[in-house]
Amino acid sequence: MTPSEKVNILMVDDQPAKLLSYQVILAELGENLIKATSGKEALEHLLKTDIAVVLMDVSMPDLDGFELADLIRQHPRFQRTAIIFISAVYMTDLDRLKGYQRGAVDYISVPVIPELLRAKVSIFAELHRKAHQLEILNHELEARVAERTDELERRAETLQHLNSELARKNQELDAIVRTAPDIIFSRHSDGARDYISDRFYEYTGAAAGSAIGFGWLDFVHPEDTERSMAHWMHCVQSGDNYESEYRLRGRDGQYRWFRARAVPIRDLEGNIVKWYGTCSDIHDSKLLEQSIRDSAIELERLVDDRTAALRRLSGRLITMQDDERRRIARELHDGLGQELAAAKMMMEGILRTKSNQSSQRAATDASETIDRAIQQVRSLSHLLHPPLLDEVGLLSALQWYLDGLTKRSGIETSLDVQPREFPRLAVELETAIFRIIQEALTNVYRHSGAKRAWVSLAQRDSQVMVMIRDNGKGIETHVAELRPGSIGIGIGGISQRTKEFGGELRLSNTDPGTLVEVAIPSLSVASQKNHAMPLISA
């Protein structure tokens, strides 16, 4: 029972009103209050529950308070249970004496003083709680004494076993030290060696005992001596585990790399009393590590060279592709376009001559067909490489393309440029930006189901920013994250052109629609501030 655990108080009276008044008076104690209206019911509660205090009326039918007290005291369990009599009838000294003879701890007359009743009940409840705690402590103490006795017996047996085991371990340790390939050493708390295994003398050829103290430093490479000794003395002062690599001179005069490790042994107060450690030959692994590092550096250089070569090749391929587009566009315009124009003039000449109605109709149909072919050649030529891109610049070419896209697809488009006096860029960059916007809007037309598209071109924070947004159905998460194998040719082309100029591509869902963002560093921008590009309204 803990100090905060409640105890049980049994209230016995054949009158419910009195029980209720006792309950109100004792409620402030915060204990468990149990009511019984007869001696029989009280006995049932006593047998089932651990009762600390019994508060009972003397005058009760069937079984009065004195008789109930006799029955309670006859049971061994209730020899120390506190009984308090309350009586409004039996008030004489003989009645009180009779109550005390039956084991009562107090005899209270009616009317009851609430404060007095609470104080008396509280005292006996606390005494019961303390007695119960004391009983538990006695049991625990007895158990601990028994356990300690058994433990001492076991320790005596264990100590005897450990002594024999220690002797065996000492023999094993001596065998390990003699046969271990590593150098094993111990040091005083001040850092001076007091023991070093024979392996050191076998390797160095030094005289036995010459490495005790700080004599081992004579065999350390001069370039490593100061560093190793400074680190060792730092560990001696700080108590940190010691680890260092240095070269030791062998009996043949050659140096090999060793790794030394040591840990401190402390007493109960935490003071270092001893150091134990090992010194391992790592010369071969050291050479291998250096070889691996050299190979890794060479491999990185080769990868960087190959990556740079691939980027140059990719740039040349894109440039060749754009040049080829320009050449094909020029051939279509200057070659096939001129031939169709000549055919158009000949057909108009035929139309001016007098002929029958059927010939006139056929010539008219042929002229209209040639008109459509000329228009398709011009459109194809402009789509391959808009002449405005070379002649006027990026903004004019973009506005022409957006107007044509709106007419052909029905997708309403707009162009926003910041600043309004947008500078001319390098020809290669203007071509790349045009192709990026063209690819993005082609994806909008093919896949998004959008009705509107917005194109934004801005120069800020030393970057050229390109944004294409639509109000379509958006893209899937793995596409937005540009996961390998999830992007198509269009987005792949945008990504490649962006990387060629050291830029960054981001895709995101705007709910609804998709946002394509391209940022190209200003170092890739060949600005011509003296030739500002006029803004063409969307």
Side-chain angles (χ1 to χ4, degrees):
M1 177 178 293
T2 62
S4 60
E5 189 174 349
K6 297 179 179 181
V7 299
N8 298 311
I9 299 174
L10 177 61
M11 302 176 298
V12 188
D13 200 304
D14 60 328
Q15 297 182 30
K18 288 185 178 181
L19 289 176
L20 181 59
S21 65
Y22 299 155
Q23 183 177 6
V24 172
I25 293 171
L26 301 178
E28 294 183 11
L29 299 179
E31 309 290 359
N32 292 326
L33 302 178
I34 303 173
K35 294 184 289 186
T37 57
S38 66
K40 181 180 179 182
E41 185 180 354
L43 288 174
E44 291 177 354
H45 283 299
L46 283 165
L47 293 173
K48 296 178 181 178
T49 312
D50 180 29
I51 302 297
V53 181
V54 179
L55 188 67
M56 70 172 71
D57 184 22
V58 176
S59 179
M60 292 187 297
D62 298 333
L63 191 65
D64 64 22
F66 295 143
E67 294 172 336
L68 177 58
D70 285 335
L71 292 175
I72 292 174
R73 287 294 184 243
Q74 291 175 11
H75 198 289
R77 257 183 61 192
F78 310 130
Q79 292 296 317
R80 294 193 301 270
T81 302
I83 300 174
I84 299 176
F85 284 119
I86 299 178
S87 179
V89 177
Y90 301 98
M91 304 289 292
T92 67
D93 291 339
L94 291 177
D95 294 327
R96 294 176 185 274
L97 179 60
K98 186 177 180 181
Y100 289 129
Q101 289 175 344
R102 281 161 175 75
V105 296
D106 208 340
Y107 200 104
I108 301 174
S109 60
V110 177
V112 176
I113 300 174
E115 293 79 5
L116 183 61
L117 179 61
R118 277 196 299 271
K120 292 184 176 183
V121 172
S122 174
I123 290 173
F124 291 114
E126 189 63 27
L127 285 174
H128 178 81
R129 186 182 286 110
K130 296 296 184 183
H132 190 76
Q133 293 173 5
L134 182 59
E135 184 179 353
I136 293 174
L137 289 175
N138 286 334
H139 286 305
E140 291 179 353
L141 182 59
E142 291 175 0
R144 288 180 182 177
V145 170
E147 290 176 1
R148 181 60 58 88
T149 302
D150 294 340
E151 183 180 355
L152 290 175
E153 293 178 355
R154 289 194 301 271
R155 285 187 177 183
E157 295 176 359
T158 303
L159 183 60
Q160 184 178 1
H161 174 72
L162 287 176
N163 287 331
S164 60
E165 187 71 14
L166 181 61
R168 185 177 63 84
K169 291 294 183 182
N170 284 333
Q171 294 177 353
E172 292 179 358
L173 180 60
D174 185 62
I176 291 173
V177 170
R178 291 178 179 276
T179 59
D182 295 342
I183 299 171
I184 300 174
F185 61 88
S186 65
R187 303 190 182 199
H188 294 299
S189 58
D190 63 355
R193 288 189 179 179
D194 62 348
Y195 169 79
I196 191 165
S197 64
D198 293 340
R199 177 74 179 87
F200 177 85
Y201 300 108
E202 292 173 3
Y203 170 72
T204 61
S210 61
I212 300 301
F214 292 95
W216 61 278
L217 288 171
D218 295 339
F219 299 91
V220 179
H221 195 286
E223 295 177 1
D224 304 332
T225 302
E226 184 177 352
R227 171 181 54 80
S228 300
M229 190 60 184
H231 181 49
W232 168 241
M233 296 311 298
H234 168 75
C235 292
V236 169
Q237 295 175 3
S238 65
D240 297 336
N241 292 344
Y242 171 73
E243 181 172 342
S244 181
E245 295 179 1
Y246 47 76
R247 287 163 287 183
L248 286 178
R249 185 180 70 246
R251 64 172 58 247
D252 58 358
Q254 301 297 318
Y255 287 92
R256 292 181 66 84
W257 280 99
F258 283 77
R259 178 183 291 119
R261 292 189 178 97
V263 295
I265 304 300
R266 304 176 185 270
D267 59 17
L268 296 178
E269 287 75 26
N271 300 315
I272 297 176
V273 296
K274 200 81 168 178
W275 289 83
Y276 287 97
T278 61
C279 192
S280 308
D281 188 334
I282 59 168
H283 190 76
D284 294 337
S285 62
K286 196 81 172 178
L287 296 179
L288 179 60
E289 288 175 6
Q290 185 61 43
S291 176
I292 292 174
R293 282 195 296 269
D294 294 341
S295 299
I297 292 172
E298 179 64 18
L299 181 60
E300 289 179 1
R301 187 188 64 78
L302 291 175
V303 170
D304 291 341
D305 292 345
R306 181 61 58 84
T307 301
L310 289 174
R311 285 181 177 175
R312 290 194 297 271
L313 177 60
S314 176
R316 287 199 296 270
L317 288 175
I318 291 177
T319 301
M320 292 173 61
Q321 183 185 48
D322 290 334
D323 291 343
E324 186 65 14
R325 284 173 177 263
R326 187 182 290 107
R327 186 189 67 77
I328 294 174
R330 188 182 301 113
E331 291 293 334
L332 286 174
H333 184 271
D334 297 341
L336 181 58
Q338 296 299 327
E339 295 293 334
L340 289 173
K344 169 67 175 176
M345 288 187 289
M346 287 187 288
M347 291 304 301
E348 290 177 349
I350 294 174
L351 288 173
R352 287 194 293 270
T353 61
K354 294 182 179 180
S355 58
N356 57 41
Q357 186 176 1
S358 176
S359 298
Q360 287 285 336
R361 190 185 310 95
T364 300
D365 293 342
S367 178
E368 293 175 353
T369 301
I370 292 173
D371 282 338
R372 290 193 297 272
I374 291 173
Q375 185 60 39
Q376 290 177 6
V377 168
R378 287 177 178 172
S379 296
L380 181 59
S381 173
H382 287 190
L383 289 174
L384 283 170
H385 188 81
L388 290 174
L389 193 58
D390 293 333
E391 298 168 3
V392 183
L394 176 61
L395 297 189
S396 298
L398 284 177
Q399 191 62 65
W400 168 83
Y401 177 73
L402 294 179
D403 292 341
L405 179 67
T406 299
K407 292 177 182 179
R408 292 190 300 272
S409 65
I411 298 175
E412 186 179 351
T413 59
S414 64
L415 175 63
D416 178 60
V417 180
Q418 296 293 334
R420 295 184 63 83
E421 297 297 327
F422 197 85
R424 287 296 301 269
L425 309 176
V427 174
E428 295 82 2
L429 182 58
E430 288 190 344
T431 301
I433 292 174
F434 181 84
R435 294 304 179 198
I436 288 171
I437 295 174
Q438 187 181 41
E439 290 283 5
L441 290 175
T442 299
N443 281 345
V444 171
Y445 170 70
R446 290 178 178 175
H447 308 297
S448 72
K451 299 299 182 183
R452 274 191 65 88
W454 297 266
V455 178
S456 173
L457 182 64
Q459 187 176 29
R460 61 176 182 269
D461 298 333
S462 303
Q463 287 185 322
V464 173
M465 306 294 298
V466 181
M467 290 184 286
I468 305 96
R469 184 170 64 88
D470 64 76
N471 63 350
K473 63 183 181 181
I475 55 176
E476 298 179 1
T477 302
H478 61 275
V479 178
E481 295 175 354
L482 298 174
R483 296 178 188 172
S486 63
I487 59 177
I489 296 176
I491 296 178
I494 294 173
S495 176
Q496 184 61 36
R497 290 181 184 276
T498 302
K499 288 179 180 178
E500 289 301 322
F501 290 90
E504 181 182 1
L505 168 65
R506 292 187 297 271
L507 302 178
S508 58
N509 278 303
T510 54
D511 193 24
T514 304
L515 175 62
V516 179
E517 297 178 277
V518 174
I520 299 177
S522 60
L523 294 177
S524 301
V525 181
S527 300
Q528 300 178 9
K529 295 184 179 179
N530 296 328
H531 299 84
M533 185 183 300
L535 176 65
I536 298 179
S537 59

